[in-house]
Amino acid sequence: MGSGFASAGLIIAAAIVFAGFGGVLYVRHKIRVFNQKMFGVKKIPLDEAFAGFREGLDDTDMSPKSVSGVTNMMLPAIMRDFPEFNYEEMKEKAKNVLVTFLRAIDERHSSVLSEGTSELRRTLADRIEKNSVNRQHEHYKDVKIHRMEIARYDKRAGRCTVRFQAAVQSYHYITDEEDESKIKKGSKDRYEQSKYEVDMIYIQDRDVVENADEKGASLTCPQCGAPIKMLGAKKCAYCDAPIIAFNIKTWEFSRCEQVE
């Protein structure tokens, strides 16, 4: 008797579940029919859905990274310190350094780098050596710089740094050193959008830079001892003494680094 009631209860419960499920399907069907009639909405075939997904990926591949451009804010300060600073010329040089830095990695030869400090060349050599140790070949093909802007300007202890930020597009991938057809990372067919920073430095007095403590140091006129407020100055503003001797280095590039 008890088992009969239990069986009946299970049957009723199952009927309720199926009825509920059927009700949900019925409601979904009605909503779909209503949408089709009112808005022309129809079910998207699976192959069309995947095609749309692939198009979305392609759009991402072609969308440049945003850069933190504060050129309009930083340039007046740079021009006050360096009246002869040519922004367009310096930006083109920064672009060239970045492109040749990446090409040097691709060609596995440090001499490809157009210019730069010993620090930058050491960074490049270490990158090439690391790839060699890992028995891999890192490629940068069809490199294009979408945009480059000044992102920062620092001035401390006889050293000025202008930091450029660039949105870079390239085919960036890594292959096996012995078998170039074996791709370890990246893709030959899909662009990579990345963000790089390029640092350009100006050192007016190397002794001040190398011996500066944490509090920093300031430059003074070698004749009257007055502070030199403009790092690009050719003479003292107080006694007119020439200070060209301090300018032992002009602008140089010290860093190229991917940040995103």
Side-chain angles (χ1 to χ4, degrees):
M1 182 89 178
S3 61
F5 277 118
S7 298
L10 288 173
I11 293 171
I12 294 172
I16 292 173
V17 170
F18 280 115
F21 182 69
V24 171
L25 291 178
Y26 178 77
V27 171
R28 291 180 61 184
H29 171 71
K30 287 296 185 182
I31 292 174
R32 189 179 299 115
V33 171
F34 177 79
N35 286 338
Q36 289 176 1
K37 290 182 178 180
M38 295 299 295
F39 307 109
V41 178
K42 63 179 180 179
K43 185 177 180 180
I44 301 175
L46 191 60
D47 58 340
E48 291 185 19
F50 277 116
F53 177 70
R54 286 193 297 269
E55 288 177 5
L57 288 178
D58 292 339
D59 289 342
T60 301
D61 295 339
M62 299 303 294
S63 299
K65 295 285 186 179
S66 60
V67 298
S68 301
V70 290
T71 301
N72 292 336
M73 294 174 59
M74 296 292 101
L75 194 54
I78 297 173
M79 295 300 296
R80 281 195 298 271
D81 294 333
F82 301 94
E84 299 175 0
F85 185 89
N86 188 318
Y87 167 65
E88 292 299 332
E89 179 183 343
M90 292 301 188
K91 183 169 74 170
E92 288 304 312
K93 290 181 68 174
K95 287 181 178 180
N96 188 53
V97 167
L98 177 54
V99 170
T100 54
F101 180 84
L102 299 180
R103 189 158 61 86
I105 296 172
D106 180 271
E107 298 184 15
R108 296 177 284 187
H109 210 296
S110 301
S111 63
V112 174
L113 181 63
S114 57
E115 59 180 299
T117 62
S118 58
E119 178 185 0
L120 179 60
R121 295 184 181 278
R122 186 165 53 250
T123 299
L124 174 60
D126 290 344
R127 178 82 164 266
I128 295 173
E129 176 65 21
K130 181 180 178 180
N131 284 330
S132 178
V133 169
N134 292 331
R135 304 186 68 80
Q136 63 187 24
H137 184 185
E138 187 172 8
H139 303 264
Y140 283 93
K141 304 296 185 185
D142 194 22
V143 177
K144 178 180 179 181
I145 298 178
H146 287 286
R147 185 185 177 198
M148 177 175 275
E149 297 286 346
I150 294 175
R152 187 173 176 179
Y153 175 51
D154 287 329
K155 188 170 56 170
R156 61 182 178 84
R159 173 185 179 126
C160 289
T161 303
V162 174
R163 174 165 296 171
F164 290 94
Q165 203 168 86
V168 179
Q169 172 182 297
S170 66
Y171 290 113
H172 178 210
Y173 56 96
I174 296 175
T175 59
D176 185 273
E177 190 174 57
E178 297 178 356
D179 184 1
E180 293 285 354
S181 65
K182 186 182 295 184
I183 298 178
K184 293 183 173 181
K185 184 179 179 182
S187 172
K188 290 183 177 182
D189 306 315
R190 201 173 286 281
Y191 278 119
E192 176 184 276
Q193 301 294 340
S194 52
K195 184 188 299 184
Y196 277 82
E197 288 181 346
V198 180
D199 283 3
M200 186 173 67
I201 62 171
Y202 180 99
I203 298 177
Q204 189 168 27
D205 188 339
R206 183 170 294 282
D207 291 334
V208 170
V209 173
E210 293 179 349
N211 299 322
D213 56 22
E214 293 182 357
K215 294 181 180 179
S218 59
L219 298 177
T220 57
C221 172
Q223 181 160 312
C224 70
I228 300 173
K229 297 181 179 180
M230 185 178 293
L231 289 180
K234 298 295 188 296
K235 64 180 181 178
C236 175
Y238 297 90
C239 70
D240 288 336
I243 54 173
I244 298 177
F246 275 112
N247 299 327
I248 63 173
K249 295 196 75 175
T250 56
W251 291 102
E252 288 193 296
F253 294 92
S254 63
R255 173 177 169 262
C256 287
E257 184 177 348
Q258 183 175 351
V259 293
E260 188 176 324

